[in-house]
Amino acid sequence: MNDDGKVNASSEGYFILVGFSNWPHLEVVLFVVVLIFYLMTLIGNLFIIILSYLDSHLHTPMYFFLLNLSFLDLCYTTSSIPQLLVNLWGPEKTISYAGCMIQLYFVLALGTTECVLLVVMSYDRYAAVCRPLHYTVLMHPRFCYLLAVASWVSGFTNSALHSSFTFWIPLCGHHQVDHFFCEVPALLRLSCVDTHANELTLMITSSVFVLIPLILILTSYGAIVQAVLRMQSTTGLQRVFGTCGAHLMVVSLFFIPAMCIYLQPPSENSQDQGKFIALFYTVVTPSLNPLIYTLRNKDVRGAVKRLMGWE
């Protein structure tokens, strides 16, 4: 602690994640529900990764980006959910300073990467539906790799900026993070100095990585809808609506909760409400993505049959 009462978290070496301690009767129920969804996430996303890798028919841009999304969701949930399960199961709610810093960095990096990757996936669908004759040129394998790398690099770069700004802020003596994982708005509330600059930076970068991707995605699907309405083939219509509808559902499940959390100042955000919204997009959404993309998907069903030797 320095002369004016400010402390740096590293001097104490830990934080207390309050999480859902205000509802002790819910903790066992939440533990079971979160564990089930986490196992669903692991199994579902590993299934997509293995299937996309083994089946040559799925070596297409769409499944290349879906493989990236599945790997991202595995990393995203694993960066926060095991810690949440430990905290829900026992009385110990602490996380080390280093652990909190690492968790903050990866949660933010992977969340931002997903925003950009979903834009890339919508562009892939736009190219497939609106520019089918030029699709193989537009989505050349090398270009697909560049788009994927750009998604990951932008996410990790943005997180490095926020993480460093957040952990430079001196705290006011207590280390109780009113959340179930280390995230920027919750940590800013522990500060005893003016954090308006940090909040403004968070708002601007959140707008860049949430609102702009959402606008680009909606623009892509506006063009897709126009192209689909001009189609004469009923089979083609069903196929387009199947793949694009699945992607739009994933976009909605991810972006709507993210906007509720990050596009309003921390002081105006209800912490209790924010915890349950965050629980939804960190636990539920990643487990639903594999189901949304694979249910009624002929490519995936065909790949499973080939892998099992049924055809």
Side-chain angles (χ1 to χ4, degrees):
M1 184 175 290
N2 57 26
D3 295 336
D4 57 1
K6 299 173 185 176
V7 298
N8 189 295
S10 59
S11 64
E12 296 291 333
Y14 70 93
F15 288 101
I16 297 169
L17 295 173
V18 175
F20 300 95
S21 301
N22 294 335
W23 304 279
H25 57 286
L26 275 181
E27 288 193 316
V28 174
V29 176
L30 282 173
F31 176 86
V32 174
V33 172
V34 170
L35 181 61
I36 290 171
F37 275 105
Y38 183 50
L39 291 174
M40 284 173 58
T41 300
L42 294 179
I43 294 167
N45 286 291
L46 280 172
F47 169 76
I48 288 179
I49 290 169
I50 294 168
L51 198 65
S52 300
Y53 179 77
L54 292 179
D55 192 274
S56 59
H57 293 80
L58 299 184
H59 292 176
T60 63
M62 176 182 167
Y63 287 98
F64 169 71
F65 294 127
L66 183 56
L67 185 151
N68 272 267
L69 181 66
S70 294
F71 178 68
L72 192 153
D73 280 339
L74 281 178
C75 297
Y76 186 62
T77 52
T78 302
S79 66
S80 59
I81 300 308
Q83 178 72 48
L84 172 60
L85 290 170
V86 170
N87 291 353
L88 287 172
W89 184 252
E92 189 68 30
K93 311 289 184 186
T94 59
I95 183 172
S96 68
Y97 171 79
C100 187
M101 185 166 59
I102 292 168
Q103 187 181 71
L104 173 74
Y105 178 73
F106 279 101
V107 167
L108 193 56
L110 295 166
T112 306
T113 301
E114 183 151 349
C115 290
V116 181
L117 187 60
L118 289 173
V119 175
V120 171
M121 293 175 75
S122 71
Y123 174 72
D124 171 63
R125 292 299 84 208
Y126 163 79
V129 176
C130 300
R131 307 286 297 278
L133 299 178
H134 303 94
Y135 181 71
T136 52
V137 176
L138 289 171
M139 302 307 293
H140 188 273
R142 184 177 296 175
F143 184 57
C144 291
Y145 285 120
L146 285 174
L147 288 173
V149 169
S151 301
W152 287 90
V153 169
S154 62
F156 278 78
T157 304
N158 174 62
S159 182
L161 173 74
H162 277 306
S163 301
S164 58
F165 281 176
T166 302
F167 279 92
W168 281 341
I169 295 174
L171 308 180
C172 284
H174 77 89
H175 293 250
Q176 293 193 347
V177 179
D178 194 11
H179 214 293
F180 62 85
F181 66 94
C182 292
E183 56 132 30
V184 176
L187 288 169
L188 290 181
R189 290 189 183 91
L190 301 184
S191 175
C192 50
V193 297
D194 185 17
T195 59
H196 280 96
N198 296 75
E199 291 172 16
L200 182 61
T201 305
L202 182 64
M203 285 284 287
I204 292 170
T205 54
S206 296
S207 299
V208 170
F209 285 103
V210 175
L211 284 182
I212 293 177
L214 188 58
I215 290 168
L216 291 173
I217 289 168
L218 293 177
T219 302
S220 296
Y221 279 101
I224 288 171
V225 167
Q226 289 182 330
V228 165
L229 292 176
R230 292 195 294 267
M231 283 185 178
Q232 303 298 320
S233 168
T234 307
T235 307
L237 279 170
Q238 290 175 344
R239 187 176 179 83
V240 168
F241 275 122
T243 56
C244 295
H247 184 63
L248 271 177
M249 192 177 296
V250 169
V251 166
S252 302
L253 288 171
F254 183 80
F255 277 98
I256 292 173
M259 286 191 293
C260 292
I261 296 292
Y262 288 103
L263 291 184
Q264 54 181 319
S267 57
E268 295 177 12
N269 185 30
S270 164
Q271 268 302 91
D272 292 340
Q273 181 186 13
K275 288 178 195 176
F276 286 99
I277 293 172
L279 193 67
F280 182 83
Y281 73 75
T282 55
V283 177
V284 179
T285 301
S287 69
L288 295 180
N289 287 355
L291 294 175
I292 292 168
Y293 277 114
T294 56
L295 287 177
R296 300 178 62 192
N297 187 315
K298 290 182 179 179
D299 294 335
V300 172
R301 288 207 300 268
V304 171
K305 288 178 181 178
R306 285 188 293 273
L307 197 62
M308 298 293 184
W310 293 343
E311 66 172 45

